[in-house]
Amino acid sequence: MLNAFWRGRSFIVLLLVFFLLFSFSATYANEEREADDSAAPLSLESDITLSEGLWPAGEGGVAEVPEEAPSMAVIPPPPLDPPPLKQLTLMLDWYLSPQHASLIVAKERGLFAAQGLEIELLTPADPSIAIKLLAAGEVDLALTRQPLLHLHAHDGAPITRIATLIETPLNAVVVAGEAPAPAAINDALADLHYGFSTREGRDVLIERLLPLSVRQVDDFVQPESVHFDAADALRERQVEAIADGFFHTLPQQLASDGIATHTVRYSDLDIPRHDGLILLANNDSVARRAITWSRVLVALEEASNWVIEHPEEAWTLLTTTHPVLDNPINQGAWDDLLRRIALSPAALDERRYAMFESFLQQAGITENTLPVARLVVNPHALMER
């Protein structure tokens, strides 16, 4: 019984010890919690920076999230660059003059550019090389006169007329001295010493002016080339007449030096009427580049019509952009040149070219006649095929 009593007391003692230990642990935990609560709050000492525009800010700097994204760009896209202009080179027949008004106006008024073209006008050091450069493919286009087209085509040059700028001849026989009586004009012309600048003067005009009987006499003086310096040749009495002189400028140049002259028009010599200034392309490019040539002609037609409708403004444009043209001789010729400008450069008078071919053959200048289709073409018509 005593043993049972001690076992009971031991159990009570153990319970008491366990209770005391639990009480001490809870008290200690409460004291640590109260100590932690009384300490200073923790904080982040570094700054946080957001990139500007990364998050939109509302009133008072408070960030706001946009309700919905825009359905299209706020800033319109930049405009597309225009396509580059097609570069072309055009060799003039001689130095720049008012007869080139349509070309100058089309270039300066942006009519070529409106057709997607940029045309560089080149002045030849020697007018005889323009067709040669075109035939060799060194230039895209070239200017000449209708008679020269026929002569070079018979020599095999691969050239074709695609436009007419001046519809009537600009050349004539320019003779030093006063004009003889009408009845004696043929004899007077046959006795002259002639100069010429181009094959047109040598092969076409002189053959007409000097009969074979005259060329067979012992004291006959052969015609000579004046190398495109007709005025000096007449001033220095090197020759007595120029077979292919520009009648708008040459007589006026000589008149300023006190030298009287008179002119004989080609129509008075029974030479068929023909185009005075035409635009040529290489045969190889006519069909292949028909669209390009058609655009050139559209610009030229716009330019020529503007010149006719605004002659004073056109003259101002010519002389402002090319001051070398501003002289009394060119100004005096302006009104007459206006009447000769082709209003429809592409328009083709096939009869005119066929008649000139027949004239050359009958005069013994050529052995045969070329078909008109070999000489001329309308680029607009090519595009319709």
Side-chain angles (χ1 to χ4, degrees):
M1 178 177 282
L2 182 61
N3 290 336
F5 173 75
W6 282 112
R7 286 195 297 269
R9 291 188 61 181
S10 297
F11 177 75
I12 294 171
V13 171
L14 289 174
L15 288 175
L16 181 61
V17 171
F18 178 78
F19 177 77
L20 290 175
L21 290 174
F22 177 80
S23 298
F24 290 153
S25 298
T27 302
Y28 181 75
N30 288 335
E31 289 177 355
E32 284 189 342
R33 188 179 297 113
E34 289 177 359
D36 291 339
D37 291 342
S38 62
L42 296 175
S43 63
L44 182 64
E45 299 296 333
S46 60
D47 295 330
I48 299 176
T49 304
L50 293 178
S51 300
E52 183 177 354
L54 184 61
W55 198 263
E59 295 182 0
V62 179
E64 294 181 353
V65 179
E67 296 182 357
E68 62 180 15
S71 60
M72 62 178 293
V74 177
I75 302 176
L80 297 176
D81 292 333
L85 300 178
K86 182 183 290 293
Q87 306 289 327
L88 299 174
T89 52
L90 189 158
M91 181 69 74
L92 301 178
D93 55 322
W94 194 207
Y95 54 83
L96 201 66
S97 72
Q99 70 184 21
H100 304 127
S102 297
L103 290 168
I104 297 173
V105 168
K107 183 177 179 67
E108 298 299 332
R109 285 180 58 82
L111 302 178
F112 284 138
Q115 295 297 321
L117 307 171
E118 182 172 345
I119 298 184
E120 182 181 5
L121 304 180
L122 306 175
T123 300
D126 183 335
S128 64
I129 69 171
I131 292 179
K132 296 177 182 178
L133 292 176
L134 178 63
E138 297 295 329
V139 295
D140 298 300
L141 299 165
L143 291 181
T144 193
R145 306 193 289 271
Q146 181 182 335
L148 291 172
L149 164 64
H150 291 267
L151 295 174
H152 284 278
H154 275 277
D155 289 344
I159 54 177
T160 300
R161 170 268 184 204
I162 63 170
T164 298
L165 274 65
I166 303 293
E167 295 182 330
T168 60
L170 298 174
N171 300 75
V173 181
V174 179
V175 184
E178 300 295 335
I185 189 169
N186 288 335
D187 292 338
L189 291 174
D191 290 337
L192 297 175
H193 177 209
Y194 285 97
F196 59 88
S197 295
T198 66
R199 288 186 60 187
E200 175 185 352
R202 184 192 68 188
D203 297 345
V204 179
L205 272 300
I206 289 177
E207 290 290 328
R208 198 72 171 174
L209 294 166
L210 299 176
L212 181 60
S213 58
V214 172
R215 285 177 276 167
Q216 289 178 337
V217 299
D218 294 337
D219 60 348
F220 173 70
V221 181
Q222 291 287 344
E224 59 182 284
S225 173
V226 296
H227 303 294
F228 305 99
D229 199 358
D232 281 347
L234 288 174
R235 288 192 193 101
E236 298 171 2
R237 301 182 184 277
Q238 176 184 345
V239 296
E240 298 172 297
I242 300 296
D244 51 0
F246 283 102
F247 62 79
H248 282 115
T249 57
L250 183 55
Q252 290 76 9
Q253 289 176 323
L254 296 170
S256 64
D257 295 332
I259 301 175
T261 59
H262 64 278
T263 61
V264 180
R265 301 296 177 91
Y266 288 175
S267 57
D268 297 330
L269 300 172
D270 296 327
I271 295 176
R273 295 188 183 278
H274 52 271
D275 294 343
L277 188 65
I278 58 177
L279 185 62
L280 303 180
N282 192 295
N283 285 352
D284 296 337
S285 71
V286 168
R288 177 170 50 85
R289 305 177 73 179
I291 295 177
T292 298
W293 304 150
S294 180
R295 291 175 180 174
V296 171
L297 268 58
V298 169
L300 287 177
E301 183 170 341
E302 291 288 335
S304 60
N305 280 268
W306 185 85
V307 169
I308 297 300
E309 294 170 359
H310 306 86
E312 294 182 1
E313 295 179 43
W315 175 253
T316 300
L317 177 61
L318 263 62
T319 55
T320 301
T321 56
H322 301 280
V324 69
L325 301 180
D326 191 8
N327 58 65
I329 293 177
N330 285 336
Q331 188 169 12
W334 180 238
D335 288 340
D336 188 57
L337 282 170
L338 288 174
R339 293 191 288 267
R340 302 171 186 273
I341 292 177
L343 293 179
S344 181
L348 176 58
D349 186 349
E350 296 185 3
R351 172 181 166 275
R352 173 173 285 196
Y353 285 81
M355 287 185 62
F356 206 89
E357 273 294 297
S358 297
F359 163 75
L360 293 176
Q361 184 186 35
Q362 293 172 6
I365 299 173
T366 59
E367 296 181 356
N368 55 6
T369 59
L370 295 175
V372 173
R374 163 65 180 85
L375 299 168
V376 294
V377 71
N378 180 345
H380 296 329
L382 288 179
M383 295 181 58
E384 297 173 358
R385 295 177 183 176

